[in-house]
Amino acid sequence: MTAPQAAPSHPATVVILDFGAQYAQLIARRVREASAFSVILPHDTPWEAIAQYEPSALILTGGPESTLTVDAPAVDERIWAAQLPIFGICYGMQLMARDLGGRLVASAHREYGPAMLHLQNESPLFIDVQNDSRVWMSHGDTVEKPPPGFVALASTERCAVAAIADAKRRFYGVQFHPEVVHSEYGAQMLQNFLRHIAQIAADWQMETFVETAVAQIREQIGDGKVLCALSGGVDSAVAATLVARAIGDRLTCIFVDNGLLREGEAESVLAAFRDVLHLNVVHVDARARFLERLAGISDPEEKRIRIGHEFIAIFDEEAAKLTGVDFLVQGTLYPDVIESKTAGSKAGHKIKSHHNVGGLPANMRLRLVEPLRTLFKDEVREVGRVLGLPEHIVARQPFPGPGLAVRVLGPVDETRLATLRAADAIVTAEIEAAELSPRPWQYFAVLTPVRTVGVMGDGRTYADVIAVRAITSEDGMTADWARLPHALLEKISLRIVNEVAGVNRVVYDITSKPPATVEWE
Ligand code: XMP
């Protein structure tokens, strides 16, 4: 085993080469959870481009293809001679075996699901890993004979070679997916690879990130002036605070109150930015303008488009009032910038562009400052805490750019917004007071365009229906409806029909995503 490397000037970087894996981002997160920095690159990135990161280790992901096909996704073969520790996962292990002279066989049927991992040989990969623990399999081909210099480390009932290693070259491969939670000791094995095999110190910490980011922002901006659109969301808040830490009052933030925020939200966002963080904030009260643009519009897409356009128009107007602005801060996150995730990608694929606050104008001719572009959402929250942002901003639930306009189904007006705000405040307060563990990922009220008959006192009512939505999710891409306790649902329902005028019925949304979406519009 080689000696630990000398401390580099940047945190040790693990380069993850992506073969179109469903779980590439999950691998990157696990690496970061083990306090090592990671970047995901397309599998076919040329060695020169990989080397620019000065990686301390490489991880090859799984992927949907077979290494046995003629044009199977491959790597720049110079990685094998780079004397770096390499960890191949599923397809990554098969490729390692194929490229280095092992033998693979195509299986008639895929193995998918749990299996028990039987350890056959001692290895640093298995430090603190129990024998016969559960791992998660998802593969077609298998390694029949490891390449010269490799030994088989473990097996499962249906897979004779489930892990391989060439300890001398520090090449390791596993057929299962250590990154998913269903692999009991998966995170431990990844950590073992990083710590005990690649000898990477746990030095990826948010304090270090903040220091480095502040220095980089200063360098990028020089003595220029910067503009930032605050949405009240965690990403723009953290990005703005970081930039302010670097350049002080040469940052101007614009907060557009579109009148589509939740109860008390505009006030608390402003108070936090002005009074707690002492940011230089221009407050634009555009409530009337947005309502005008939305009057009578019930088509969801049309609402979104109008809100986006109005936002850009207002932002442009405000930006034009400031002189000498050179840069625009955006709270772009790492998942938004990861290059192509598809197998067969060519390096240099278009980067997905993302605009955080209602789709900021791409043609503003301002240079972008994106200090969060290497971070995942939970890391951004962590940075926010290090920077001293209030918890109500750091832990804020995701909130759609078009705000409550997509939760008031049908036409939006002041009265319907007020109804929704009142109901939403009850849903939020009750779910938070219930101190559920885990708390649902997102929870809110929706004002439906339906009216139903009810009886209140002795009289007939014909009034609005509020829907309650509470979901569990990792990232909003898929979601399940939260199994809220019946007593909590009862309390929410009782309070809404008693306290919110014009509502006589409450329903609970029990649909997952897919097939539904999180928001109703
Ligand atoms: P859907 O409704 O697409 O929502 O299942 C997934 C997640 O995204 C949020 N969402 C948005 N976020 N701008 C945003 O910044 C939007 O236009 C938008 N629409 C939906 C939604 O709240 C959920 O967390």
Side-chain angles (χ1 to χ4, degrees), residues 304 354-358 397-403 406-407 441-442 444 469 471 473 475-479 513 516-521:
R304 281 174 178 270
H354 174 95
H355 300 289
N356 254 20
V357 190
Q397 295 185 49
F399 187 63
V406 293
R407 294 182 183 168
W441 196 74
Q442 203 173 357
F444 53 87
R469 181 83 161 134
I471 55 143
S473 178
D475 50 15
M477 304 293 286
T478 58
K513 171 186 178 177
T517 52
V518 176
E519 305 290 343
W520 279 38
E521 284 195 340

Side-chain angles (χ1 to χ4, degrees), residues 372-513:
L372 310 179
R373 54 184 291 126
T374 58
L375 301 184
F376 288 105
K377 189 84 173 187
D378 43 352
E379 294 175 316
V380 171
R381 295 189 205 280
E382 199 63 38
V383 171
R385 291 191 179 101
V386 169
L387 289 168
L389 278 164
E391 197 57 26
H392 70 88
I393 290 191
V394 170
R396 190 185 191 246
Q397 295 185 49
F399 187 63
L404 299 184
V406 293
R407 294 182 183 168
V408 169
L409 311 189
V412 180
D413 59 38
E414 198 49 81
T415 314
R416 290 180 69 74
L417 279 170
T419 304
L420 176 60
R421 268 195 199 104
D424 188 68
I426 293 170
V427 172
T428 308
E430 289 302 334
I431 290 182
E432 284 168 12
E435 293 185 359
L436 304 171
S437 178
R439 185 184 282 179
W441 196 74
Q442 203 173 357
Y443 39 95
F444 53 87
V446 175
L447 177 57
T448 72
V450 176
R451 284 197 294 164
T452 65
V453 173
V455 51
M456 276 180 174
D458 286 328
R460 175 187 192 270
T461 57
Y462 187 51
D464 288 328
V465 178
I466 284 283
V468 176
R469 181 83 161 134
I471 55 143
T472 56
S473 178
E474 285 256 320
D475 50 15
M477 304 293 286
T478 58
D480 197 6
W481 57 279
R483 271 49 173 184
L484 295 185
H486 287 178
L488 173 58
L489 288 170
E490 180 184 15
K491 200 161 176 203
I492 290 172
S493 163
L494 266 178
R495 278 197 61 193
I496 291 176
V497 288
N498 279 295
E499 296 173 34
V500 184
V503 176
N504 68 358
R505 194 178 294 266
V506 177
V507 297
Y508 188 49
D509 182 349
I510 51 168
T511 333
S512 61
K513 171 186 178 177

Side-chain angles (χ1 to χ4, degrees), residues 96-399:
M96 180 181 271
R98 189 199 72 177
D99 282 6
L100 301 176
R103 197 166 61 232
L104 286 112
V105 281
S107 304
H109 34 252
R110 289 176 73 83
E111 182 185 13
Y112 183 81
M116 299 313 259
L117 186 71
H118 188 65
L119 309 182
Q120 295 166 320
N121 270 303
E122 277 205 11
S123 167
L125 195 65
F126 298 147
I127 291 173
D128 293 331
V129 173
Q130 255 186 33
N131 196 10
D132 295 321
S133 68
R134 190 187 59 233
V135 291
W136 197 258
M137 289 291 204
S138 173
H139 65 109
D141 304 341
T142 49
V143 174
E144 193 175 56
K145 186 166 174 284
F150 279 74
V151 291
L153 291 181
S155 62
T156 67
E157 199 182 310
R158 297 175 63 181
C159 177
V161 184
I164 56 172
D166 176 344
K168 207 159 146 222
R169 284 191 283 179
R170 297 181 296 166
F171 290 168
Y172 288 76
V174 293
Q175 186 54 72
F176 51 89
H177 288 272
E179 69 276 23
V180 304
V181 287
H182 316 289
S183 290
E184 270 177 290
Y185 291 89
Q188 180 69 46
M189 289 183 231
L190 268 166
Q191 185 168 326
N192 287 341
F193 171 73
L194 299 171
R195 294 275 176 284
H196 301 298
I197 294 162
Q199 306 283 345
I200 292 174
D203 62 358
W204 168 246
Q205 284 158 356
M206 287 309 149
E207 285 81 2
T208 332
F209 171 84
V210 168
E211 276 169 39
T212 319
V214 164
Q216 282 169 350
I217 294 166
R218 285 198 182 125
E219 193 182 316
Q220 184 188 2
I221 290 170
D223 54 9
K225 284 191 186 169
V226 185
L227 191 61
C228 178
L230 285 179
S231 65
V234 62
D235 306 340
S236 65
V238 173
T241 312
L242 254 183
V243 173
R245 169 118 5 146
I247 59 153
D249 60 9
R250 280 184 288 127
L251 169 70
T252 304
C253 299
I254 294 179
F255 173 64
V256 179
D257 181 357
N258 57 14
L260 303 170
L261 297 176
R262 290 165 288 194
E263 197 163 273
E265 199 165 23
E267 296 77 10
S268 84
V269 166
L270 266 181
F273 289 122
R274 279 191 175 153
D275 308 337
V276 182
L277 300 165
H278 307 292
L279 296 186
N280 183 7
V281 184
V282 177
H283 172 206
V284 187
D285 181 354
R287 290 177 294 178
R289 259 177 89 162
F290 277 91
L291 273 188
E292 240 167 67
R293 296 288 293 146
L294 288 171
I297 305 297
S298 51
D299 179 67
E301 272 317 294
E302 184 63 24
K303 283 187 194 173
R304 281 174 178 270
I305 289 166
R306 284 177 179 240
I307 292 167
H309 286 174
E310 198 60 16
F311 186 88
I312 291 171
I314 294 172
F315 192 79
D316 264 341
E317 285 167 27
E318 294 301 321
K321 292 181 193 163
L322 304 165
T323 52
V325 173
D326 320 282
F327 295 92
L328 179 70
V329 181
Q330 292 221 320
T332 316
L333 304 190
Y334 194 47
D336 308 320
V337 295
I338 293 173
E339 290 183 276
S340 170
K341 283 185 275 182
T342 50
S345 71
K346 293 282 167 267
H349 253 202
K350 170 160 92 61
I351 292 174
K352 190 170 60 165
S353 58
H354 174 95
H355 300 289
N356 254 20
V357 190
L360 277 177
N363 60 352
M364 284 192 73
R365 268 188 261 121
L366 294 175
R367 276 168 283 164
L368 287 185
V369 184
E370 298 180 305
L372 310 179
R373 54 184 291 126
T374 58
L375 301 184
F376 288 105
K377 189 84 173 187
D378 43 352
E379 294 175 316
V380 171
R381 295 189 205 280
E382 199 63 38
V383 171
R385 291 191 179 101
V386 169
L387 289 168
L389 278 164
E391 197 57 26
H392 70 88
I393 290 191
V394 170
R396 190 185 191 246
Q397 295 185 49
F399 187 63

